[in-house]
Amino acid sequence: MKKLILLFFVTILVVSCKKDGKEPEPIIVKEPEPEIRFGYKIDDYKVIQDTIKSGESFGTILDRHHVFYPKINEIASSAKEIFDVRRVRAGKPYTILASKDSTEKAQVFIYKHDKINATILDFKDSVVVAKNYKKPIEVVQKEVEGVVYSSFSQTMDSLGIRPNLTYTIADIYAWTLDFYRLQKGDSFKILYEEKFIDDSTFAGYGKVKSAVFKHKGKDLYAFRFVADSTLNIPEYYDENGNMLRSFFLKAPIKFQYRISSRYNLRRRIAYYGNRVRPHKGTDFAAKIGTPIIATASGTVVESTRRGGNGKYVKIKHNNTYSIQYLHMSRQAVKRGEYVKQGDVIGYVGMTGNTGGPHVCYRFWKNGRQVDPLNPKLKLPEAKPMKKSVKPDFLKYIRPLKYQLDYNRIPVEEPEVITETIAKK
């Protein structure tokens, strides 16, 4: 029908041109571009999209789409280096490209790990081909700024920012800023990336390039920079090149906690009849099941249950420092394991002698328990930036700092920004 209509209009155009005494101009009709998905011309197949149901296996799915078990076993064996078909998970979407003939036999199986990544198993020919696929990603530079009137997480939520970015910012500032001590009227600005697929589908956040928090009258900057080209690991630094990351985190819980009891050698404890009993730890109150994280990297030397400590984990960081985490509902690590800073090592509970859910954080220095929140306690710092790298760093952050400070991207090298390095 469409072809008849097109022919009708072309005929009218030709006749009208002849009446005017003009030769008709040639008409070029472009054929529509074929739709390509996952590298395949979709029009060549019957496309079946579904989600893996509870109890379904890879074999069950292919059998339902007319692939027999000898072939299924061959596919599983050929693909094992790329993809273990036994680990398909319920709830994951998949696409099958089947033949367009009467058999409608599956020829390609596409397992979608997330919005971006997929595994393709192509068995339409005698040789099975297994490969990983990544959708093209468009990275867009974004910025967000706000003023804190309740909490940082609520402010970010009100600005339409998803929790993942909020947690990333909390991780960046974990050593320099207590998000539960932000003051009403504190403000922030963040320069970050958003990822999109298919032009408009949000696919997550990319790098946080820079940020600034205005807290207690001070500007707390964070700039992402790779200072060691050999290790090629990005870190965050302030405007003078000082690393934000310290040897120890400020707290063993990321969010939703409060300090219910501090280190106090003369504290009276109601649980023991209001008698004076030294409290050599810092209690972080949180809901049961809240993840507890290692505040520094080290080796687990104890993961057990004992007396009033309840279930606990003790980590040795070096010959000087060790930390205990008490009253867990359960541990997530075993004795002898090496854990990195920020790894989950257990969950908040009420085991042992405790009047409420919390983690008792006990900090050991040279075999003696000390108060980690004591400002007089000198703790080790992270490795500083090399002096030879600092000029490159200062040059790199100038436009980022200008944008944070003046709310616009500099067209030329900003002359108003000057960097000074304190002499040592």
Side-chain angles (χ1 to χ4, degrees):
M1 184 66 183
K2 289 181 180 178
K3 289 183 179 179
L4 289 173
I5 294 171
L6 179 61
L7 182 61
F8 173 74
F9 281 111
V10 169
T11 304
I12 291 174
L13 182 61
V14 170
V15 171
S16 63
C17 287
K18 283 187 176 180
K19 284 182 179 179
D20 293 339
K22 297 178 182 178
E23 285 295 323
E25 293 184 8
I27 297 173
I28 300 173
V29 180
K30 287 187 178 180
E31 293 212 8
E33 292 286 334
E35 183 182 359
I36 305 295
R37 271 191 268 165
F38 299 100
Y40 292 88
K41 190 177 176 181
I42 292 301
D43 289 343
D44 292 345
Y45 302 91
K46 179 182 178 182
V47 180
I48 302 158
Q49 300 192 75
D50 206 342
T51 302
I52 295 173
K53 310 295 188 299
S54 179
E56 273 191 330
S57 67
F58 175 75
T60 305
I61 295 168
L62 287 198
D63 181 60
R64 189 165 63 243
H65 292 91
H66 317 296
V67 179
F68 300 122
Y69 269 92
K71 185 65 175 180
I72 293 172
N73 293 334
E74 181 191 343
I75 295 166
S77 177
S78 300
K80 63 183 180 181
E81 296 296 327
I82 298 290
F83 182 65
D84 187 347
V85 299
R86 296 171 299 178
R87 299 199 175 184
V88 294
R89 284 169 39 201
K92 287 288 186 181
Y94 66 88
T95 297
I96 284 178
L97 304 182
S99 62
K100 274 191 165 182
D101 58 23
S102 59
T103 65
E104 294 185 353
K105 183 179 179 180
Q107 295 186 327
V108 180
F109 178 83
I110 303 167
Y111 181 79
K112 300 173 186 176
H113 300 280
D114 51 45
K115 290 180 180 179
I116 297 172
N117 300 288
T119 297
I120 299 174
L121 303 179
D122 186 327
F123 41 89
K124 63 180 180 291
D125 299 321
S126 57
V127 178
V128 177
V129 177
K131 57 187 175 183
N132 292 319
Y133 176 86
K134 185 185 286 286
K135 276 193 172 185
I137 302 169
E138 181 186 4
V139 178
V140 179
Q141 306 297 322
K142 294 275 189 174
E143 63 180 63
V144 64
E145 56 185 321
V147 179
V148 177
Y149 288 106
S150 51
S151 70
F152 175 61
S153 57
Q154 287 176 331
T155 303
M156 291 284 274
D157 185 60
S158 71
L159 294 169
I161 301 298
R162 305 183 191 202
N164 285 356
L165 184 59
T166 304
Y167 296 150
T168 299
I169 298 300
D171 286 341
I172 292 169
Y173 282 97
W175 299 270
T176 55
L177 187 60
D178 187 343
F179 282 89
Y180 287 90
R181 290 178 178 267
L182 290 177
Q183 298 176 340
K184 187 175 180 179
D186 283 353
S187 62
F188 60 88
K189 185 172 184 180
I190 305 161
L191 307 181
Y192 65 99
E193 297 173 344
E194 285 187 1
K195 296 185 286 187
F196 292 89
I197 54 175
D198 302 327
D199 295 329
S200 59
T201 303
F202 179 75
Y205 296 108
K207 305 186 205 87
V208 173
K209 300 188 75 174
S210 60
V212 62
F213 266 85
K214 295 183 184 296
H215 175 61
K216 293 185 178 179
K218 293 183 179 180
D219 290 338
L220 304 177
Y221 290 95
F223 297 97
R224 188 179 190 273
F225 186 73
V226 178
D228 190 326
S229 58
T230 303
L231 294 175
N232 200 32
I233 298 174
E235 293 281 2
Y236 286 89
Y237 300 86
D238 67 14
E239 71 277 23
N240 296 314
N242 300 311
M243 190 183 292
L244 267 61
R245 179 172 60 85
S246 298
F247 194 88
F248 293 100
L249 291 169
K250 284 184 172 292
I253 296 174
K254 284 188 179 182
F255 278 112
Q256 304 301 326
Y257 71 86
R258 63 183 176 85
I259 296 178
S260 56
S261 180
R262 290 179 174 268
Y263 180 96
N264 186 351
L265 299 181
R266 299 193 57 80
R267 191 185 73 159
R268 294 182 182 274
I269 304 177
Y271 190 88
Y272 297 107
N274 210 36
R275 289 180 294 174
V276 172
R277 293 195 61 167
H279 185 244
K280 296 182 179 181
T282 304
D283 291 348
F284 293 84
K287 293 179 181 178
I288 290 178
T290 301
I292 299 168
I293 59 176
T295 57
S297 301
T299 301
V300 178
V301 292
E302 292 182 67
S303 180
T304 186
R305 178 170 186 157
R306 186 176 301 141
N309 291 346
K311 294 180 181 180
Y312 73 93
V313 167
K314 187 173 184 178
I315 299 173
K316 182 178 180 180
H317 303 290
N318 52 33
N319 290 331
T320 303
Y321 297 99
S322 297
I323 296 176
Q324 275 180 300
Y325 306 78
L326 312 183
H327 310 307
M328 294 179 172
S329 58
R330 64 184 176 93
Q331 302 101 316
V333 292
K334 296 179 181 179
R335 186 174 181 268
E337 284 186 37
Y338 181 82
V339 295
K340 294 185 293 184
Q341 186 179 66
D343 285 351
V344 175
I345 58 171
Y347 301 88
V348 171
M350 290 180 60
T351 56
N353 296 340
T354 173
H358 72 278
V359 55
C360 182
Y361 181 70
R362 300 204 168 200
F363 198 97
W364 299 72
K365 181 179 180 180
N366 294 320
R368 187 171 62 90
Q369 293 185 68
V370 296
D371 180 7
L373 302 183
N374 185 344
K376 295 181 180 179
L377 180 66
K378 291 186 177 180
L379 296 175
E381 296 181 353
K383 189 177 179 181
M385 179 186 292
K386 292 180 181 177
K387 290 182 179 180
S388 59
V389 177
K390 190 169 283 189
D392 290 336
F393 167 76
L394 295 176
K395 182 179 179 181
Y396 170 77
I397 71 167
R398 289 186 75 184
L400 295 172
K401 188 173 184 296
Y402 186 88
Q403 189 175 354
L404 289 172
D405 291 344
Y406 297 99
N407 207 31
R408 64 180 186 272
I409 301 173
V411 178
E412 298 177 355
E413 189 75 10
E415 296 181 355
V416 291
I417 298 296
T418 57
E419 302 287 355
T420 56
I421 303 174
K423 293 181 180 179
K424 294 185 179 179

